[in-house]
Amino acid sequence: MKNSIAERVYDFLKNYPPFNILKDDDLLEISKQVSIVYLEKGDTLFKKGDAFNEHFYMVRNGAITSFHTNNNNVQEIVNISDAGDIFGVRPLIAKEDYKLTATANEESIVYAIPIDTFQAVTNNNASVYKFLITAFATNAYDPYTAEETGKIFADYLPSTSQDVVSFQTANYTKNPITCDFKSSLKDAAITMSTYKIGCIIVVDEDIKPVGIITNSDIKNKIATGLFPIETPVTNIMSTPVITNKKDLTVADGQLQMIKHNIGHLCITKDGTVNSKLIGVLTHHDVLVTLGNNPSVILKEIKRAKRTKKLRTARLKANTLLKSYLEQNIPISHIIKIISQINDAVTIRAIEIAIKKMPILPPVAFSWMSIGSQGRKEQLLFTDQDNAIVFQDVEKDVYEETQAYFLELAKMVTKSLNKIGFEYCEADMMARNSEWCKSVTNWKLQFENWILNPDEKAILLSSIFFDYNCVYGDNNLVDELSDSIYETLSKTSLFFKFLGRDALKNPPPLGFFKQFLVEESGEQNDLFNIKSRALMPLIDAARLLTLSNNIKGINNTSERFEKLAEIEPNNKELYQSCSYAFKALSKFKTKQGLLHNNSGKLIELETLTKEEKLKLRRCFKPIQEIQETLKMRFDLKNFM
């Protein structure tokens, strides 16, 4: 005889995660053991402090409010679960008493699912466990514990796919061939020939690496007659060498090579040049391990002579980005790789443009990326934000000098547009005379923004605080930064304006834990993940690092990680903000690749229940960090 109640339970559960990924027979077995609980409005299902029981719960109809009672006996609503939502998962995960009270928000029907039966059926199912961890963390009262934060973001760690090899220890050459720093180049070349190797490490009497000689060095410096064959190796070796420790990963080695534009990493006992050489990791070692990798794309970029070639190479980066996301490579690594590629594209576009100019740049200059590229967070094709700072010149040649750089910028921004980076709608680009100035004029501009803040000043300065030198003289940017921080020390009012701006977007969830969507125009009913979730974290991180006089860190997640170091009392909150930003960035990027757009506007109906749970989890730190800003900068009467 058929169990009609179990079948009705089965028909409901199969539509919601994690039950929708179970086998039919397993789901039916669970459905047979489900108890049905009827609740009137105000009825309590369990209370804070109750011992955990053998069930967790899913709402069938109605809504269940979970709340915490604070020390002043005031109830604080933590979550409202509606149809299809799981709650009360803590017993399954933490094996501890309930930390919340659950009551019916209205007349409700709840399914009580026995833990023992569920565990027996879903044993060793990683996907089910991952979903329950997500549901657990989403409904937990304390969202900032290390245990919960670590587990919820397990989805953003490497999977078991083959690309996880990137995060294994690099297989470097042990006991590399070396020569003494007193040797002649001839002796070193003979050794290289004997062992059929393409490079040799120069060491001192303590076997510490002091330089490296490659076949290219011999070709360019000896075969051309610059030095005689008997010259000391110290005359032609590349020094200092770049070193690392023996336990570096393939990904770390790859990043070092990209960053320093080298093909060899010296492995030393303690990772520095001051300890004994124990091995060498070559670019070939990395290529053999990884196969296709960003180094190939970067080589294409550096060799490109036309914008068309640059576009082709940059499009390959999108393919690489998609592959990395599918294989759950950590988002922090993905960001570093794509940022290196974006910077390389910009550098090559500038180099090509300079060759087309009638003369070389008349004075030193720096091309600054601002906004998302300046923060090294630009994963997809977005609009351009850039500026030029050039060396001070005499007043009578200022306009002529500026005109040169405006023409250069016009060519570069045109190339970037052809590659796929849209023009900035507000024209915040180096081709605009407002964003192309001498270092002194830039100092005056920032001084005016900071000491005379208004809405426009805050908007413009917020964008420009996230700048990064991509090409040219970095000293000009350092000089500008020093001036900015000196001016900031003269005022506290500016931080209040920045704080008010950081609070312009409220937390992404409404009172009943519903997503706050756009309410007008073409964006009506769409969720703007950029303005409602990412920007509050970006703005908060910027304000807190500026007020703490933290220089040289522009990336949002890295800013929060640095704040966690210097403010131990808020460590868990800052770490939670950092993790949330990474997860939201990954989510936005996936949406952008899926819909071939920027990913910032999301149609909520297209998301699964699990995806919504992950988003809600990421939203938790936003409200807390905004409350922190209100208190720290005394903003309650400044809104």
Side-chain angles (χ1 to χ4, degrees):
M1 183 176 178
K2 288 187 176 181
N3 186 335
S4 58
I5 294 178
E7 288 180 347
R8 286 202 295 272
V9 172
Y10 168 90
D11 287 338
F12 180 78
L13 293 180
K14 71 180 182 180
N15 296 314
Y16 297 95
F19 304 101
N20 60 347
I21 57 177
L22 297 180
K23 295 179 181 177
D24 290 345
D25 291 344
D26 291 338
L27 181 53
L28 187 58
E29 182 61 32
I30 292 173
S31 301
K32 290 176 181 178
Q33 304 301 321
V34 168
S35 299
I36 301 175
V37 182
Y38 297 90
L39 297 169
E40 297 288 340
K41 182 177 180 179
D43 285 353
T44 297
L45 187 61
F46 54 78
K47 293 188 294 184
K48 177 184 178 181
D50 286 352
F52 69 82
N53 58 41
E54 68 273 18
H55 297 92
F56 64 99
Y57 304 94
M58 173 178 270
V59 180
R60 173 63 177 85
N61 295 111
I64 303 296
T65 300
S66 300
F67 63 86
H68 165 73
T69 303
N70 64 24
N71 295 332
N72 297 321
N73 206 33
V74 176
Q75 293 182 356
E76 299 175 351
I77 295 176
V78 174
N79 196 44
I80 297 179
S81 304
D82 55 17
D85 283 337
I86 285 177
F87 65 100
V89 188
R90 184 177 291 277
L92 179 62
I93 307 298
K95 302 295 183 186
E96 63 185 23
D97 296 344
Y98 288 106
K99 287 191 173 183
L100 302 173
T101 298
T103 62
N105 198 50
E106 57 190 79
E107 184 179 359
S108 304
I109 298 175
V110 174
Y111 288 158
I113 302 159
I115 289 172
D116 289 343
T117 302
F118 185 84
Q119 284 181 317
V121 169
T122 62
N123 189 33
N124 296 323
N125 191 321
S127 297
V128 171
Y129 180 73
K130 186 186 294 182
F131 176 82
L132 288 177
I133 288 291
T134 305
F136 164 61
T138 302
N139 292 304
Y141 169 63
D142 179 6
Y144 305 127
T145 65
E147 178 187 10
E148 291 167 13
T149 300
K151 286 180 178 177
I152 185 63
F153 290 99
D155 199 33
Y156 298 93
L157 296 176
S159 68
T160 54
S161 64
Q162 66 176 35
D163 227 17
V164 77
V165 72
S166 301
F167 299 91
Q168 295 175 351
T169 302
N171 185 23
Y172 60 87
T173 301
K174 298 175 176 62
N175 302 315
I177 305 302
T178 65
C179 69
D180 186 80
F181 72 104
K182 297 177 182 177
S183 302
S184 69
L185 189 279
K186 181 178 180 181
D187 290 338
I190 290 172
T191 302
M192 292 170 67
S193 178
T194 301
Y195 287 96
K196 295 181 173 60
I197 55 177
C199 76
I200 191 166
I201 310 297
V202 182
V203 296
D204 63 13
E205 58 269 13
D206 296 320
I207 320 298
K208 297 175 184 175
V210 296
I212 184 170
I213 296 173
T214 65
N215 284 334
S216 294
D217 292 320
I218 297 173
K219 177 182 69 175
N220 295 329
K221 297 176 182 178
I222 302 300
T224 57
L226 287 177
F227 293 94
I229 190 66
E230 297 289 351
T231 193
V233 291
T234 51
N235 281 343
I236 73 161
M237 69 183 186
S238 297
T239 186
V241 295
I242 305 300
T243 60
N244 216 310
K245 292 188 288 188
K246 64 180 180 180
D247 58 352
L248 88 160
T249 63
V250 175
D252 287 336
Q254 180 188 33
L255 276 172
Q256 285 280 73
M257 290 179 185
I258 291 171
K259 181 178 179 180
H260 297 287
N261 193 28
I262 57 174
H264 304 81
L265 270 178
C266 288
I267 310 301
T268 61
K269 194 169 182 179
D270 69 0
T272 73
V273 293
N274 298 314
S275 62
K276 183 180 177 180
L277 179 76
I278 59 174
V280 63
L281 178 70
T282 69
H283 184 240
H284 178 72
D285 295 330
V286 173
L287 287 179
V288 169
T289 306
L290 294 179
N292 189 27
N293 68 93
S295 297
V296 176
I297 297 173
L298 286 166
K299 280 189 175 181
E300 281 190 48
I301 291 170
K302 289 175 182 177
R303 292 171 181 168
K305 295 181 179 179
R306 299 174 58 195
T307 299
K308 186 177 180 180
K309 292 288 184 181
L310 281 176
R311 174 173 170 78
T312 300
R314 182 56 183 81
L315 287 173
K316 289 182 180 179
N318 272 11
T319 303
L320 184 72
L321 171 62
K322 185 178 181 182
S323 172
Y324 277 1
L325 289 171
E326 289 173 349
Q327 296 173 76
N328 269 337
I329 301 302
I331 192 68
S332 56
H333 179 73
I334 297 174
I335 287 173
K336 288 177 181 177
I337 289 292
I338 300 301
S339 293
Q340 291 281 354
I341 291 173
N342 285 339
D343 285 355
V345 167
T346 304
I347 289 168
R348 192 61 186 140
I350 295 169
E351 291 173 342
I352 293 172
I354 288 175
K355 288 182 179 180
K356 293 180 179 179
M357 294 292 288
I359 59 171
L360 292 175
V363 294
F365 78 102
S366 173
W367 181 281
M368 298 187 296
S369 60
I370 53 181
S372 60
Q373 188 180 357
R375 294 190 302 272
K376 295 189 179 296
E377 295 166 0
Q378 188 180 44
L379 292 173
L380 298 170
F381 282 127
T382 56
D383 61 347
Q384 300 178 46
D385 294 301
N386 42 59
I388 283 178
V389 53
F390 56 85
Q391 187 178 336
D392 286 333
V393 295
E394 296 296 329
K395 189 175 182 179
D396 60 339
V397 295
Y398 184 88
E399 287 189 9
E400 180 184 345
T401 305
Q402 185 185 46
Y404 175 92
F405 288 114
L406 287 172
E407 183 61 28
L408 175 67
K410 185 177 179 181
M411 294 172 65
V412 175
T413 53
K414 184 177 180 180
S415 292
L416 292 175
N417 179 255
K418 288 181 178 179
I419 291 165
F421 299 99
E422 296 292 331
Y423 289 123
C424 173
E425 290 185 2
D427 204 22
M428 294 181 183
M429 295 181 289
R431 68 179 190 178
N432 181 342
S433 60
E434 289 295 314
W435 316 129
C436 179
K437 300 179 180 182
S438 67
V439 64
T440 293
N441 282 349
W442 269 121
K443 289 178 185 179
L444 293 172
Q445 177 67 81
F446 271 98
E447 184 176 331
N448 183 56
W449 281 338
I450 294 168
L451 298 181
N452 303 291
D454 57 25
E455 296 299 331
K456 182 179 179 182
I458 293 300
L459 171 64
L460 299 177
S461 61
S462 294
I463 295 169
F464 274 80
F465 275 125
D466 300 336
Y467 57 74
N468 178 55
C469 176
V470 175
Y471 180 92
D473 190 345
N474 199 56
N475 291 326
L476 294 170
V477 178
D478 290 341
E479 185 180 341
L480 177 59
S481 296
D482 291 341
S483 173
I484 288 170
Y485 277 93
E486 183 181 345
T487 307
L488 285 171
S489 67
K490 300 176 183 178
T491 179
S492 60
L493 180 62
F494 183 73
F495 293 130
K496 286 184 177 289
F497 273 92
L498 276 184
R500 186 173 69 180
D501 191 61
L503 300 178
K504 63 181 179 292
N505 288 310
L509 295 178
F511 182 76
F512 293 106
K513 300 299 177 182
Q514 299 300 313
F515 287 82
L516 295 179
V517 296
E518 305 310 299
E519 297 180 349
S520 62
E522 296 179 357
Q523 300 181 8
N524 190 43
D525 288 337
L526 297 176
F527 178 70
N528 191 323
I529 192 172
K530 179 181 177 181
S531 65
R532 294 194 179 274
L534 287 166
M535 287 309 301
L537 291 171
I538 292 169
D539 292 339
R542 180 193 302 114
L543 172 56
L544 289 167
T545 51
L546 286 173
S547 64
N548 278 281
N549 201 35
I550 298 171
K551 300 178 183 178
I553 303 177
N554 287 350
N555 180 268
T556 299
S557 60
E558 291 178 5
R559 279 172 164 170
F560 279 122
E561 286 159 14
K562 183 63 178 179
L563 288 164
E565 284 181 30
I566 65 175
E567 293 184 30
N569 291 342
N570 290 316
K571 180 179 179 180
E572 289 176 348
L573 170 59
Y574 291 146
Q575 287 180 336
S576 187
C577 287
S578 175
Y579 289 133
F581 182 80
K582 292 175 187 176
L584 289 166
S585 296
K586 184 172 184 177
F587 194 92
K588 174 179 175 290
T589 304
K590 280 187 170 182
Q591 289 290 313
L593 291 172
L594 181 64
H595 300 291
N596 194 30
N597 57 28
S598 68
K600 72 176 183 179
L601 294 171
I602 297 173
E603 192 174 345
L604 293 173
E605 289 73 17
T606 65
L607 302 183
T608 65
K609 195 78 174 179
E610 185 176 7
E611 287 173 328
K612 290 179 181 179
L613 277 172
K614 288 178 182 176
L615 279 178
R616 285 195 179 102
R617 165 61 178 146
C618 294
F619 297 160
K620 282 182 176 286
I622 297 175
Q623 182 174 8
E624 186 71 16
I625 197 68
Q626 290 188 331
E627 288 300 318
T628 299
L629 296 183
K630 285 180 186 177
M631 293 181 62
R632 180 166 301 188
F633 298 98
D634 192 22
L635 299 175
K636 289 186 177 180
N637 298 319
F638 196 74
M639 303 300 290

